[in-house]
Every structure is written in structure tokens, then in C-alpha cells.
Amino acid sequence: MELVLDRFGRVLLPKSLRRDYNLRPGSRLYVDEESRAIILRPETEEEPLHRENGVLVFAGDACGDLDKALERSRRERMDKTGGRQA
């Protein structure tokens, strides 16, 4: 990916990067220098949801009883489908 500096030394990050890293106006970025490379690193807490190969993946900590939540979800699905597997 190639970016061009404007006359004030600014760079516009493509919309896809802003979306992928949840960057909004006012978001902070850290700048690191490493062997003739400039690295921009967003200042964010670890997001519990991230996209892997087009699929949302939850990587946060679970709270509550997962077995009960799963069973409740299965019961609700069975109720909606009239007992048929969905």
C-alpha cells in the first residue's frame, strides 16, 4: 500500500484501515521508528471482537455460565423451529 504526504506532511489512512482498526477522528496513534521504518500503532484496548477471514471472532473473557447460556440458546432455537434442528 502506498500513501502520499500532502504539502503539510499529513497522510490519509484508507477507509479500510480506519474501519479495520476502529479509528475515528481524534483516535490516537503511536509512532515507532525501527530500522528505517515508520510504524503507526493505534492506542486502543484489546477489542473483544475482531475479524478473521471475514468472520467476527470473540476473543474476550466470558462471564456467567456458558453451559446455561448455550442450553438456553438451543431451547429457544428449538422453540422457534418447532423442534426441528436448525
Side-chain angles (χ1 to χ4, degrees):
M1 177 181 308
E2 181 178 302
L3 303 175
V4 178
L5 292 175
D6 70 8
R7 66 186 186 121
F8 298 106
R10 298 177 296 201
V11 170
L12 175 66
L13 295 176
K15 184 176 184 177
S16 60
L17 285 177
R18 296 191 313 265
R19 183 185 59 238
D20 290 348
Y21 289 93
N22 197 28
L23 297 173
R24 306 227 182 308
S27 292
R28 294 182 182 274
L29 297 173
Y30 291 105
V31 178
D32 295 322
E33 295 177 66
E34 189 174 295
S35 67
R36 297 196 37 82
I38 300 169
I39 301 167
L40 297 177
R41 191 169 37 87
E43 175 192 76
T44 60
E45 294 180 18
E46 188 64 30
E47 293 289 330
L49 283 177
H50 64 277
R51 211 173 276 281
E52 287 183 15
N53 300 322
V55 176
L56 276 178
V57 176
F58 178 73
D61 294 324
C63 59
D65 187 334
L66 291 180
D67 290 327
K68 285 182 182 178
L70 188 58
E71 182 58 35
R72 183 177 59 244
S73 176
R74 288 180 177 151
R75 254 194 331 270
E76 290 172 359
R77 187 177 336 120
M78 294 296 274
D79 290 344
K80 287 180 182 178
T81 62
R84 298 184 315 272
Q85 292 286 332

